[in-house]
Amino acid sequence: MKVLIVEDEKVAARRLMRLVQEILGEKVESLECRESLDDAEQYIEKHPIDVMLLDLNLSGESGFRLLQKAVASSFQTIIVSANTDRAIQAYEYGVLDFVPKPFEKERLMRAFERLEKTGRSAAGESAQVLVVRNQGRLQIIPIEQVHYLKGAGDYAEVHLRDGSLTLHSKSLEALERILPAHFSRTHKSYIVDMRDVVAVRVHGGGKYELELRDGKLLPLSRSRYKELSERLHKA
Amino acid sequence: MSPYYIAIIMLIQLAVAPGSVLCRQKHGQEVAEPPTYIFFDETPVVSLTGWRTAWGDSLAWADSAYDDSGWELAQGSGLWVSDGWAGKGIRWYRKAIFFPEALDTLSSLALYQVAAVSANEIYWDGRLVARNGTVAESREGEICGVSGQVFPVPRKQTFAGRHVIAVRQSNHHTFSGIIAPPLQLGTFNSLQTSLFRQGALSLFLAGIFVITALFHIAVLLGHANKWTYALFSAFCLSCAAYLIIHSWLRYFQVDLGLYYTIAAINDIPWFFMMSLLPVFFLFEFSAPRRLVLSLCIMAETLCIVLTPRLIMSGLLPVGWLEPFDWLNRVHSIISIVISIFICLWAIRRKRIGSLTVIIGLCIFLAGAYVSYRARLENGWAVGFAFLIIVITISLSRQMAARNREYQETQLRSARLELELLKRHIQPHFLLNSLNSIVAWLEEQPQTAARLVNALAEELRMLLAFSGKTTVSLAEEVQLCRAHLQVMSLRQDKQFSFEVTGGEGNERIPPLILHTLVENGLTHGYKGRNTGVFSLRCERDGATLRLELFNDSSIDTTAAQRIEGTGLRYVRTRLEEAYPGGWELRTGPSRGGWLVFIGIKKAVT
């Protein structure tokens, strides 16, 4: 796992490095530390990472702009900050976890567990917006506008309700962990807003499809079929 | 009576001038003077004009049958004797009147003689009906009468038909020999009523002036430390004093021997009335060079007021009396015109209250005109009363605005105080520090202990500072050092704070250096292991100059960004402690960043 720490206070940064090393042990592929997000970006350009541990001063306007930049990227972001009053907003922007300072090793460990678990993480907070990079500019899409997501290699296609399409740098796996519970991985390549599903169609040859409210048909994997049909019958 | 004083009275009554001009034309040089017809049911009080007069003394001149057609006709209405008639000694005046109708049975007639420095005997159809003072050939023998006398005319002598009033007068006690004003004839009741009205109006107006003056003094003492209030109070008091002295002289029985003394005393309020109004406006509207202009106005007024007195005391030639007399007469108009110009200037400069005041001046002119039309004795005072009420309203409104402003400043500073405490003692600062303590505990427990101590020191000082307007420089430096110690241990860097100059007892608003140090730390020490803040303190009399330099590698744009809450806090704190007496400059300086603070009147 490739980890980047962004922390301007040396003492705190040293401790984070030490703890990450202890938690991940052998799994650490790279572990670097930078003093600011600007410095971090230069590093990321040449070295892809999986997760960023970010200390941001979220009390001002500029802190949130930097946060948007981080969450629009392909890697997951874990905030490590003393601005606990901003935790909910950070989650809404789509950070994977918010570790309040000061913290114990166990709390950081849980954050890394969320990173490795498949499917949605257990925490109640989830992203309320998706921040995407659109022609170099950051664009904030309210989650309500998202229809479904389709995997496209390392990226994800975000299909909006108005029919338009935009790309997110994160993989479907990464997005699944931060999206609200009503978004469900229905297929290797699809995440769908389940509130839009009106029917499950069964075709011959083990082929299943979901019918959405607007008539669109999306593939459904066999492994998810049983669980979903039950859930739909209940509703 | 001096023409100087006559002039003042005439001016104050707005000269009653058109009337006198008319009379001059009417009476011209008529040969046979017909008796003046008087209808008491139409005009209960008549000012008698058109007297025939002659120097000399003979009781035969009191006789109604005496032929006075050879006597000279006194010009003018306001004066018994005007231009060219000056002289001292005994002289007689005669005036024929005619009542077409008999008086109603319940009325009786009376004569009223206004203040005049003279002794008089009044004859009605040859009989002595009034004596005011002792008429004599010499100054030694003469005893001046008293002012404000009303003399009843025996009713049996006031039958319908022709009557002759003759006045025997000596005027040795006058200065120039010229005396004023006319006799008034009327029914006893009407005369008393008209005198009472005029006296009451004067005192009523004087009351308004006194109350207004007291109000402004109260405001000055109680609230606003603004000495234009004192100026305005002085102006109101002058008006009141002038009115009181003036009406005392006219309506109460004052020994006319004291006339000149009283008139000279009344020059004092008169001087302030004429000069203080424009001076007040100059200061109220903060006109440029107001002190010099005010001194000019006051010097000029003093010169014009004082010169006639100097002439009367023989220090200056008598010939100067005439022009100065005229100047004095027009001076109130000059001072109003100057005031109007100042207000017009103030309106152009959008000074607060200038519009209200010019409205007040217009009301003054209107009031003066109306009272002139109504022939009110102290009409100008009615105008002034309106003016001061308008000015009082304007000042009150300004005061209310200032109060509001002050309260807002208070609120703002209270908010800032809170904001500041929140920023320092808020969880964010504490939690980050605690986080560093945890880190040190795992790495190096002794350092953790040092950090805990430094943090405790900073918190103690912050708590001690809250609520104070100023703290000593030494305390502030101690706080900055505590903060730098905390930050040094948190960031594992070496920050230091050096001080040169100053004695430490200089007073500055709390937390301003602390805020600047924080600003310096926020940016500019990335990737560095040391940082130096140096404070240079210079005292020059009451002026305090502080230069805080830090060797940050800050770039200017980043510095502009942090010109946020921190500097706003510093500015507000300075303004609160030293309103208008401070300056603050920030900018890059050789290898770092420099903040300059100048405080003009630092309290030590």
Side-chain angles (χ1 to χ4, degrees):
Chain A
M1 189 176 291
K2 301 183 198 70
V3 182
L4 178 64
I5 292 167
V6 182
E7 165 69 69
D8 62 345
E9 292 196 10
K10 250 202 255 170
V11 182
R14 277 208 302 266
R15 178 168 183 250
L16 266 176
M17 295 266 273
R18 204 170 59 236
L19 292 180
V20 170
Q21 191 69 60
E22 284 171 25
I23 292 165
L24 295 178
E26 294 290 294
K27 280 186 272 181
V28 175
E29 290 170 59
S30 74
L31 179 56
E32 280 291 326
C33 184
R34 289 293 178 273
E35 266 192 62
S36 71
L37 203 56
D38 288 338
D39 294 352
E41 275 178 345
Q42 287 178 12
Y43 174 80
I44 295 161
E45 272 174 26
K46 288 168 197 154
H47 312 88
I49 58 165
D50 297 312
V51 62
M52 177 189 271
L53 298 183
L54 178 59
D55 172 32
L56 264 190
N57 180 6
L58 292 176
S59 59
E61 192 59 24
S62 57
F64 272 92
R65 257 200 307 282
L66 294 177
L67 179 63
Q68 286 167 22
K69 236 186 206 177
V71 294
S73 311
S74 59
F75 51 85
Q76 290 287 26
T77 304
I78 296 172
I79 299 287
V80 182
S81 168
N83 292 100
T84 33
D85 50 334
R86 299 306 179 107
I88 291 175
Q89 276 153 292
Y91 279 120
E92 284 174 2
Y93 274 105
V95 303
L96 182 75
D97 204 350
F98 189 106
V99 178
K101 274 184 182 176
F103 56 91
E104 287 183 70
K105 186 180 167 187
E106 285 67 32
R107 181 65 187 83
L108 195 63
M109 216 187 283
R110 278 216 303 283
F112 276 99
E113 280 166 14
R114 285 185 74 169
L115 192 63
E116 292 179 314
K117 238 193 261 172
T118 53
R120 266 199 81 255
S121 50
E125 307 296 342
S126 57
Q128 296 303 307
V129 295
L130 284 182
V131 185
V132 296
R133 227 181 276 270
N134 199 348
Q135 290 163 350
R137 285 221 311 271
L138 290 174
Q139 192 188 344
I140 297 175
I141 302 165
I143 221 82
E144 291 307 313
Q145 287 180 19
V146 178
H147 199 14
Y148 63 93
L149 299 102
K150 185 182 175 195
D154 290 342
Y155 294 93
E157 288 175 1
V158 182
H159 292 263
L160 303 181
R161 292 188 192 282
D162 62 6
S164 63
L165 172 72
T166 181
L167 281 181
H168 199 293
S169 310
K170 281 190 173 58
S171 65
L172 272 193
E173 284 74 23
L175 285 170
E176 197 188 350
R177 293 190 184 101
I178 58 170
L179 282 170
H182 54 84
F183 279 93
S184 183
R185 187 81 177 265
T186 54
H187 186 268
K188 183 162 61 74
S189 304
Y190 286 94
I191 294 177
V192 178
D193 186 348
M194 292 310 287
R195 298 174 305 181
D196 275 354
V197 176
V198 290
V200 177
R201 293 196 175 182
V202 186
H203 301 281
K207 196 185 169 202
Y208 305 93
E209 273 184 332
L210 282 174
E211 187 184 339
L212 302 188
R213 197 168 293 162
D214 61 351
K216 196 179 252 328
L217 295 171
L218 293 178
L220 175 67
S221 71
R222 200 184 314 158
S223 58
R224 303 284 286 147
Y225 164 67
K226 205 182 158 199
E227 179 197 340
L228 284 176
S229 56
E230 272 169 14
R231 208 160 119 189
L232 283 169
H233 283 137
K234 260 185 231 164
Chain B
M1 176 184 282
S2 84
Y4 157 67
Y5 193 67
I6 295 162
I8 296 173
I9 294 166
M10 287 177 72
L11 152 72
I12 290 164
Q13 297 172 322
L14 283 181
V16 196
S20 69
V21 169
L22 276 176
C23 287
R24 252 168 233 222
Q25 289 165 350
K26 197 160 75 191
H27 295 294
Q29 287 294 323
E30 290 167 55
V31 181
E33 179 79 3
T36 301
Y37 282 70
I38 299 172
F39 301 88
F40 287 104
D41 51 345
E42 281 175 21
T43 45
V45 177
V46 184
S47 279
L48 299 174
T49 57
W51 297 78
R52 298 234 166 229
T53 176
W55 291 103
D57 194 14
S58 160
L59 280 179
W61 293 352
D63 194 340
S64 59
Y66 182 81
D67 176 17
D68 56 19
S69 57
W71 291 17
E72 284 187 68
L73 188 62
Q75 305 285 320
S77 65
L79 315 178
W80 277 24
V81 181
S82 62
D83 316 318
W85 281 80
K88 292 183 187 176
I90 297 180
R91 72 182 142 181
W92 281 73
Y93 304 84
R94 282 173 59 90
K95 168 78 187 165
I97 50 175
F98 190 87
F99 309 153
E101 292 160 20
L103 274 178
D104 87 65
T105 48
L106 292 174
S107 305
S108 60
L109 289 184
L111 288 158
Y112 165 65
Q113 190 176 25
V114 195
V117 184
S118 59
N120 297 270
E121 286 168 4
I122 303 173
Y123 296 83
W124 183 280
D125 294 336
R127 284 175 199 216
L128 182 65
V129 292
R131 178 182 283 127
N132 193 11
T134 306
V135 180
E137 285 286 358
S138 66
R139 188 185 163 93
E140 289 69 36
E142 181 187 273
I143 298 170
C144 285
V146 296
S147 65
Q149 287 279 58
V150 176
F151 309 106
V153 182
R155 200 181 140 73
K156 60 177 188 223
Q157 297 188 29
T158 55
F159 47 86
R162 183 176 179 273
H163 298 279
V164 170
I165 301 171
V167 179
R168 177 175 177 249
Q169 180 185 67
S170 68
N171 63 344
H172 298 286
H173 281 82
T174 60
F175 166 70
S176 62
I178 302 174
I179 62 162
L183 263 188
Q184 290 183 355
L185 174 66
T187 59
F188 191 81
N189 286 345
S190 313
L191 261 179
Q192 292 283 20
T193 312
S194 114
L195 289 179
F196 171 76
R197 274 193 195 143
Q198 305 219 20
L201 177 65
S202 294
L203 292 181
F204 171 70
L205 291 171
I208 291 183
F209 288 128
V210 169
I211 295 293
T212 311
L214 290 179
F215 170 75
H216 285 274
I217 288 170
V219 167
L220 179 73
L221 295 179
H223 294 284
N225 184 21
K226 206 181 155 203
W227 74 288
T228 48
Y229 285 100
L231 271 180
F232 193 67
S233 300
F235 171 73
C236 292
L237 283 177
S238 310
C239 290
Y242 185 86
L243 272 176
I244 290 167
I245 296 174
H246 177 69
S247 45
W248 180 45
L249 204 50
R250 264 175 107 72
Y251 308 117
F252 299 89
Q253 300 183 350
V254 176
D255 179 356
L256 288 167
L258 297 172
Y259 188 93
Y260 288 121
T261 317
I262 295 168
I265 290 170
N266 216 11
D267 276 351
I268 299 166
W270 173 254
F271 162 71
F272 284 115
M273 270 168 64
M274 289 300 100
S275 55
L276 284 187
L277 193 63
V279 168
F280 164 70
F281 287 133
L282 282 175
F283 279 89
E284 176 63 18
F285 297 132
S286 312
R289 285 195 289 280
R290 49 188 175 276
L291 200 61
V292 176
L293 285 173
S294 301
L295 288 175
C296 288
I297 288 173
M298 296 193 80
E300 177 258 356
T301 314
L302 188 66
C303 166
I304 287 175
V305 171
L306 213 55
T307 312
R309 292 288 157 213
L310 293 176
I311 297 169
M312 287 181 197
S313 49
L315 292 172
L316 292 171
V318 181
W320 290 19
L321 199 54
E322 195 86 11
F324 274 94
D325 203 32
W326 178 82
L327 275 176
N328 225 326
R329 200 177 317 168
V330 294
H331 201 263
S332 66
I333 295 160
I334 292 174
S335 87
I336 291 293
V337 169
I338 293 174
S339 302
I340 287 177
F341 271 113
I342 296 168
C343 291
L344 284 175
W345 173 87
I347 285 175
R348 270 189 48 200
R349 291 298 171 91
K350 298 197 166 56
R351 291 289 201 274
I352 311 160
S354 50
L355 202 62
T356 326
V357 169
I358 208 125
I359 291 169
L361 285 169
C362 293
I363 293 177
F364 165 73
L365 290 178
Y369 179 73
V370 166
S371 49
Y372 153 66
R373 298 290 296 189
R375 301 254 167 164
L376 280 173
E377 163 89 349
N378 283 317
W380 60 274
V382 177
F384 266 152
F386 275 117
L387 179 63
I388 64 156
I389 288 168
V390 169
I391 290 174
T392 303
I393 291 170
S394 155
L395 288 179
S396 313
R397 281 178 51 197
Q398 286 176 49
M399 197 171 73
R402 260 200 302 280
N403 265 348
R404 228 176 8 252
E405 216 169 272
Y406 177 73
Q407 277 168 0
E408 272 164 21
T409 318
Q410 290 290 91
L411 258 173
R412 204 163 43 237
S413 99
R415 265 201 304 275
L416 270 166
E417 177 88 27
L418 240 149
E419 200 177 291
L420 182 98
L421 279 177
K422 232 176 101 192
R423 204 168 62 202
H424 295 279
I425 311 191
Q426 78 160 181
H428 177 218
F429 173 72
L430 282 178
L431 292 172
N432 271 318
S433 301
L434 290 174
N435 188 60
S436 303
I437 290 169
V438 171
W440 277 120
L441 275 173
E442 291 169 5
E443 242 180 76
Q444 217 176 332
Q446 301 95 318
T447 314
R450 276 172 62 209
L451 179 49
V452 168
N453 284 332
L455 185 63
E457 167 83 359
E458 185 176 1
L459 291 179
R460 270 195 295 272
M461 299 218 66
L462 278 172
L463 286 171
F465 278 16
S466 71
K468 287 188 180 171
T469 322
T470 59
V471 295
S472 75
L473 190 63
E475 289 175 294
E476 180 77 15
V477 167
Q478 200 185 337
L479 174 69
C480 290
R481 286 191 170 136
H483 184 68
L484 285 175
Q485 175 71 3
V486 170
M487 295 315 280
S488 297
L489 291 169
R490 259 170 63 169
Q491 304 190 357
D492 201 12
K493 293 178 182 175
Q494 287 297 318
F495 293 118
S496 59
F497 195 92
E498 296 164 359
V499 185
T500 50
E503 287 162 26
N505 60 352
E506 294 83 1
R507 306 295 295 183
I508 54 168
L511 304 174
I512 60 169
L513 294 182
H514 182 266
T515 306
L516 294 172
V517 165
E518 273 207 314
N519 261 3
L521 283 176
T522 312
H523 300 260
Y525 287 100
K526 209 171 75 179
R528 302 213 350 224
N529 281 319
T530 57
V532 179
F533 288 78
S534 52
L535 176 72
R536 213 155 62 91
C537 175
E538 240 179 67
R539 246 162 88 182
D540 182 8
T543 308
L544 181 64
R545 275 189 285 271
L546 298 172
E547 278 183 9
L548 181 64
F549 173 81
N550 66 306
D551 62 345
S552 58
S553 41
I554 204 162
D555 67 289
T556 323
T557 47
Q560 297 297 332
R561 253 205 326 263
I562 60 167
E563 262 260 354
T565 356
L567 278 188
R568 208 174 64 231
Y569 169 81
V570 174
R571 284 179 212 278
T572 313
R573 246 17 237 266
L574 285 168
E575 178 62 23
E576 182 195 30
Y578 310 102
W582 57 275
E583 60 172 318
L584 178 97
R585 290 194 303 266
T586 65
S589 177
R590 320 160 300 280
W593 190 258
L594 186 70
V595 181
F596 170 85
I597 297 175
I599 300 173
K600 254 183 242 161
K601 279 182 190 158
V603 189
T604 53

